[in-house]
Amino acid sequence: MRYLPLLLLAAAWEAIVQLGLVSHDLLPSLSEVLKAGWTLLREGDLWANGAASLYRTGLGLLLAIVVGAALGILMAWWRAVDAFLGPLVEALYPMPKSALIPVTVLWLGFGDGSKILLIFLGCMLPVTLGAYNGARSCEQALVWSARSLGASRLGVLWDVVLPSALPELANGVRTALALAFVLLVSSELIVARAGLGYLIGFLGEGGIYDAMFAVVLVVAFLGFFADRLYLLLVKRAFAWRE
Amino acid sequence: MLRLAPWISVLGIALAWEVFARSGAVTPFMLPRLSVVLARIWTDAAAGDLWHHLGLTLYRSLTGFAVAALAGIALGFAVAYNRAARWLLDPLISVGFPMPKIAFLPIITLWLGFHDLSKISMVVFDAIFPVLTATIAATLAVERELLWSARNLGASERELLHEVVFPAALPQIMTGLQVSLPIALIVCIVAEMKLGGVGLGGAMITASRFADSPGVFAGIVEIAVAGYVLVRLMALARARLLAWHPETAAPASV
Amino acid sequence: MVESKETPVKRQILIEGVSHTYRPARGREVRALEDVSLEIEAREFIALLGPSGCGKSTLLYLIGGFLPVEQGAIRIEGAPVAGPGPDRGIVFQHFALFPWKSVRANVRYGLEKLGLAREEQERRAQAYIELVGLKGFEESYPSQLSGGMKQRAALARTLAVDPKMLLMDEPFGALDAQTRSLMQAELSAIWQRRPTTVLFVTHDVQEAVRLAQRVVVMSARPGRVKAIVEVDLDRADPHIYRSSAFAEKVDEIWNLVRDEAIKAQ
């Protein structure tokens, strides 16, 4: 199986701690970590903080996708919008979004709001770019066919341009998804009172390292599984592609 | 005229910022005027604080980037050439890629402390992935015909690596490096924000704790400029190194 | 001169002194058409024939309303062209099927736009899918179809809205020779069953003679009408395509085209 090396890694981890090669204060054994994780799950800490994190990520991403896609398609379709907003998008592109963490905190404090805003602002860019490129690649013949079959000028945007843009938009959303997790964890590690990132910091400061490791792994694999799940959904949705 | 376009847009944003901030639609706390922010940057520069913070951040991020680059390329070649290495590392890379690796910062801090070493290590951990994947893909993709011609002309395995594979793979590796550099910068800044102290990230988070709004915005501008300069330098380096490549006319944008 | 509304739909399409210039955002202007005038009767099958770049597709797009008429006039049954519409169906060389819709959904698209009742949409769509010989492939996606099948689907989609005329832009150009031959025969058969005005753009002389009643030969760029040749063949006769009458007609037209083709090189 392709992922066998990961199992080997896990086994090696357990082994080197059990054998005393590494101090178990620095690196709790895998079994200890799993046990601590299970306790967290049972006691509800994982759920409560996990829910907060997922809520923030979900809402921020949703807003980014809806606004970003609409923006990208409008920019691709109307020169005027492109001329006005294009330079703005270009100038903001190289700006590292995590640098906005202190600003969002300044504006909205330590709660959900600052995280959602951060994710919304940060993730909008790859979505807009994907929608823009996707819409531009829409074939003229498709638009003309739709028009000759009775579609209005606006109707064409919805009937033809948006579906044509979907594959590249989906790519942009994939990037945004990974970015959302990074922004979430970053901001929760630094400026939060709830959430998985906050939980990691809290456990670390309290010296409860086995639980801390557990949550780190949860977060890391959350990002991984979200990506895989997304790919699966996209594959099904785009079954019509060659 | 086209080359001025990005400057025009920056100017436009600057103007819009100043006008909007003056309009009274938002408080000076929420959005200080650009003129105030720029003045703040100036005073920080004059006092030497700016250079202190900037210098440290650049030192940490660029060191991390350099290590990530060298290790990533070396490892990438090793993986591409060695079946066993590929089997071992491929799942690690594909699982690691979409992970928010910043989550490992507390673990790194536990192992390596609160100072430069942990920040640099965090940078390496995050920045190595794009370089690795680019190197592996590029090396595997080097056209067979290129290799066969070279072997045919008498090149040894080692010469092959240096003289054929590396140049052929270079464009894609460069792209990986171009993706990796901004990552190095921002990861460093986030680590600094978490761990506090000196550095652009630390300074910004301190400013936000003191509700020092101009300080926070000054930090944003400084980081944006630093990021922009680094990206431009990378693009220049790419153009130089890849002068022979047809794509140099339109380099891959990041 | 008063345009009598009683003049029956004989002169269905009236093209008067039409010229067209392409003005791309970058690069030089291209004069595609120069002072083209043409009269087309209802239910005529016309071929627009000429070398690459002679503007024949451009003329089609102008009639279709996809490009604005800047010089000259184009009238459909007396009224000037004001944009695309279901009265002028278009069929493209690369099929232009919506790849995310099944064959059935593609064919139903125009019917939805017409606002027909759902059962009527389904009935008509099914009828046209069967007309073009795609029964059984209603739920297939374009990526699953061969070139010939895609073109049939595109044809069904266009015919379903019952257009007054068919604008066909080298519709068989992307098909292999055998499929092309079959499709020509099918198109001819469909047209004979339900005659409708057809404007068929092609660069293939044989194809033009095979399908059309009149062949409009166009010059190299900028496109002008060089000649209009009547093709008076008995299409009911299955052997007509091997007859000397056919070959002579092809020769006659090829002689007109050859010089233009050389100029276009």
Side-chain angles (χ1 to χ4, degrees):
Chain A
M1 213 200 110
R2 190 190 178 202
Y3 292 112
L4 188 56
L6 290 177
L7 290 169
L8 292 178
L9 194 66
W13 174 356
E14 184 72 3
I16 63 173
V17 182
Q18 296 287 17
L19 292 175
L21 291 170
V22 177
S23 157
H24 118 122
D25 292 319
L26 277 184
L27 181 66
S29 71
L30 179 56
S31 46
E32 286 177 310
V33 169
L34 290 174
K35 225 181 294 174
W38 179 245
T39 313
L40 277 177
L41 196 64
R42 253 187 14 224
E43 288 176 358
D45 292 305
L46 210 55
W47 282 126
N49 289 289
S53 292
L54 286 174
Y55 165 66
R56 293 160 175 173
T57 315
L59 190 54
L61 249 184
L62 188 66
L63 288 171
I65 292 173
V66 169
V67 175
L71 211 67
I73 292 180
L74 287 174
M75 278 172 63
W77 201 241
W78 275 300
R79 287 273 160 81
V81 180
D82 192 2
F84 190 63
L85 290 176
L88 185 69
V89 171
E90 259 190 75
L92 292 179
Y93 191 72
M95 242 277 304
K97 317 301 173 291
S98 299
L100 295 174
I101 292 176
V103 163
T104 57
V105 169
L106 215 60
W107 287 342
L108 295 172
F110 275 52
D112 291 339
S114 53
K115 320 289 175 294
I116 296 171
L117 180 63
L118 180 70
I119 293 173
F120 168 56
L121 290 177
C123 294
M124 211 172 49
L125 219 53
V127 174
T128 304
L129 238 58
Y132 181 78
N133 287 327
R136 297 209 95 196
S137 70
C138 176
E139 288 175 44
Q140 182 71 275
L142 282 182
V143 173
W144 281 359
S145 292
R147 294 273 281 138
S148 87
L149 289 164
S152 68
R153 259 188 216 178
L154 232 58
V156 163
L157 272 186
W158 182 258
D159 285 343
V160 181
V161 181
L162 178 59
S164 286
L166 277 180
E168 275 216 61
L169 174 60
N171 257 345
V173 172
R174 186 183 179 201
T175 307
L177 183 62
L179 184 59
F181 276 105
V182 171
L183 290 174
L184 175 82
V185 176
S186 302
S187 59
E188 283 185 350
L189 274 177
I190 303 169
V191 280
R193 297 205 183 95
L196 293 173
Y198 163 75
L199 186 59
I200 294 174
F202 176 75
L203 293 169
E205 273 149 39
I208 316 171
Y209 297 129
D210 46 8
M212 182 185 90
F213 270 77
V215 185
V216 170
L217 287 179
V218 166
V219 170
F221 277 96
L222 210 62
F224 170 68
F225 282 121
D227 181 65
R228 282 296 179 268
L229 188 66
Y230 181 75
L231 284 178
L232 220 75
L233 290 172
V234 163
K235 206 163 164 209
R236 293 187 104 214
F238 291 135
W240 49 263
R241 296 190 94 189
E242 327 203 4
Chain B
M1 184 59 201
L2 239 75
R3 296 183 89 219
L4 287 175
W7 294 112
I8 295 176
S9 62
V10 170
L11 231 66
I13 295 168
L15 221 69
W17 178 347
E18 185 73 6
V19 167
F20 188 62
R22 278 182 197 248
S23 71
V26 282
T27 65
F29 176 74
M30 280 200 65
L31 187 70
R33 297 189 206 157
L34 178 58
S35 42
V36 170
V37 172
L38 290 177
R40 172 58 172 276
I41 297 178
W42 182 256
T43 37
D44 283 346
D49 290 328
L50 174 60
W51 310 117
H52 192 200
H53 292 305
L54 181 64
L56 264 165
T57 301
L58 284 179
Y59 157 67
R60 291 161 180 156
S61 52
L62 292 178
T63 308
F65 173 68
V67 173
L70 290 170
I73 293 176
L75 225 75
F77 278 134
V79 167
Y81 271 99
N82 189 323
R83 274 262 154 85
R86 200 176 329 162
W87 176 83
L88 193 67
L89 289 180
D90 178 64
L92 285 175
I93 297 172
S94 84
V95 167
F97 212 97
M99 280 185 175
K101 295 171 271 300
I102 194 78
F104 288 89
L105 182 59
I107 295 180
I108 293 179
T109 315
L110 177 65
W111 289 345
L112 299 173
F114 289 84
H115 303 294
D116 287 346
L117 184 57
S118 50
K119 292 164 188 147
I120 296 175
S121 304
M122 186 72 244
V123 170
V124 174
F125 185 29
D126 239 307
I128 202 174
F129 277 81
V131 182
L132 244 183
T133 44
T135 307
I136 295 174
T139 312
L140 290 176
V142 172
E143 291 171 55
R144 271 183 327 176
E145 273 119 44
L146 222 62
L147 291 168
W148 286 352
S149 303
R151 276 216 190 87
N152 195 285
L153 294 163
S156 74
E157 213 52 52
R158 214 146 177 267
E159 285 169 340
L160 220 60
L161 185 63
H162 282 162
E163 286 160 27
V164 179
V165 176
F166 190 66
L170 197 54
Q172 202 169 345
I173 294 177
M174 277 301 304
T175 306
L177 291 175
Q178 282 177 287
V179 171
S180 172
L181 184 56
I183 292 179
L185 182 64
I186 195 55
V187 168
C188 180
I189 288 173
V190 172
E192 287 173 352
M193 284 186 192
K194 171 68 180 160
L195 299 172
V198 201
L200 286 177
M204 273 184 82
I205 214 63
T206 309
S208 86
R209 290 211 177 102
F210 284 98
D212 173 12
S213 173
V216 170
F217 278 89
I220 294 178
V221 173
E222 287 155 12
I223 293 173
V225 172
Y228 175 75
V229 170
L230 285 177
V231 166
R232 290 301 296 158
L233 286 175
M234 248 340 232
L236 244 85
R238 184 196 178 98
R240 274 293 188 77
L241 285 169
L242 295 180
W244 50 265
H245 195 73
E247 194 222 56
T248 304
S253 55
V254 175
Chain C
M1 187 179 105
V2 174
E3 294 239 304
S4 164
K5 283 225 164 81
E6 252 103 39
T7 315
V9 285
K10 268 206 142 261
R11 259 179 8 184
Q12 189 180 43
I13 309 176
L14 184 61
I15 303 165
E16 289 175 314
V18 167
S19 305
H20 191 84
T21 310
Y22 281 112
R23 292 185 186 84
R26 269 179 219 169
R28 263 176 298 144
E29 291 188 354
V30 173
R31 193 139 179 93
L33 289 173
E34 186 72 53
D35 197 21
V36 171
S37 295
L38 206 54
E39 281 183 30
I40 297 166
E41 299 178 3
R43 292 182 290 281
E44 263 202 284
F45 199 124
I46 303 272
L48 292 175
L49 179 69
S52 298
C54 72
K56 46 197 197 294
S57 295
T58 306
L59 186 58
L60 211 70
Y61 300 156
L62 286 166
I63 297 171
F66 306 112
L67 298 174
V69 178
E70 282 160 5
Q71 281 177 278
I74 298 183
R75 282 185 229 281
I76 311 282
E77 290 175 359
V81 169
D87 59 322
R88 284 150 292 145
I90 187 137
V91 179
F92 289 104
Q93 185 178 108
H94 293 287
F95 326 120
L97 289 170
F98 304 126
W100 53 86
K101 288 187 195 279
S102 65
V103 168
R104 193 203 302 280
N106 262 283
V107 176
R108 278 183 62 181
Y109 182 75
L111 301 170
E112 284 167 16
K113 294 294 149 194
L114 284 176
L116 298 177
R118 203 197 165 109
E119 303 86 50
E120 179 66 13
Q121 287 179 31
E122 307 247 340
R123 194 191 61 77
R124 277 229 232 174
Q126 191 63 32
Y128 281 97
I129 291 174
E130 289 180 17
L131 175 71
V132 298
L134 281 178
K135 188 176 168 111
F137 290 95
E138 294 87 348
E139 299 307 320
S140 302
Y141 283 91
S143 61
Q144 298 167 307
L145 303 175
S146 71
M149 292 163 83
K150 283 191 245 205
Q151 200 53 292
R152 288 164 200 258
L155 198 58
R157 182 177 71 177
T158 310
L159 289 175
V161 295
D162 209 10
K164 286 194 201 118
M165 64 187 75
L166 275 181
L167 306 172
M168 306 184 84
D169 190 7
E170 302 203 50
F172 308 142
L175 306 173
D176 65 84
Q178 290 162 357
T179 313
R180 199 180 311 156
S181 192
L182 289 169
M183 290 295 292
Q184 286 166 0
E186 283 216 29
L187 181 64
S188 202
I190 293 176
W191 180 75
Q192 292 197 43
R193 249 179 298 162
R194 328 163 79 250
T196 198
T197 318
V198 178
L199 268 88
F200 192 99
V201 166
T202 181
H203 60 268
D204 182 348
V205 181
Q206 289 225 346
E207 188 172 59
V209 175
R210 189 170 176 182
L211 295 171
Q213 298 168 305
R214 278 200 293 160
V215 176
V216 176
V217 179
M218 299 192 66
S219 71
R221 192 193 303 149
R224 293 185 179 81
V225 175
K226 180 166 178 173
I228 303 180
V229 181
E230 300 269 342
V231 179
D232 199 7
L233 298 170
D234 177 13
R235 280 164 226 280
D237 177 3
H239 299 297
I240 195 73
Y241 304 112
R242 277 175 272 148
S243 69
S244 52
F246 183 82
E248 278 166 22
K249 192 55 82 171
V250 171
D251 261 349
E252 178 191 338
I253 297 181
W254 174 230
N255 280 326
L256 289 166
V257 178
R258 194 200 306 113
D259 297 332
E260 305 305 321
I262 292 172
K263 271 190 230 159
Q265 285 301 333

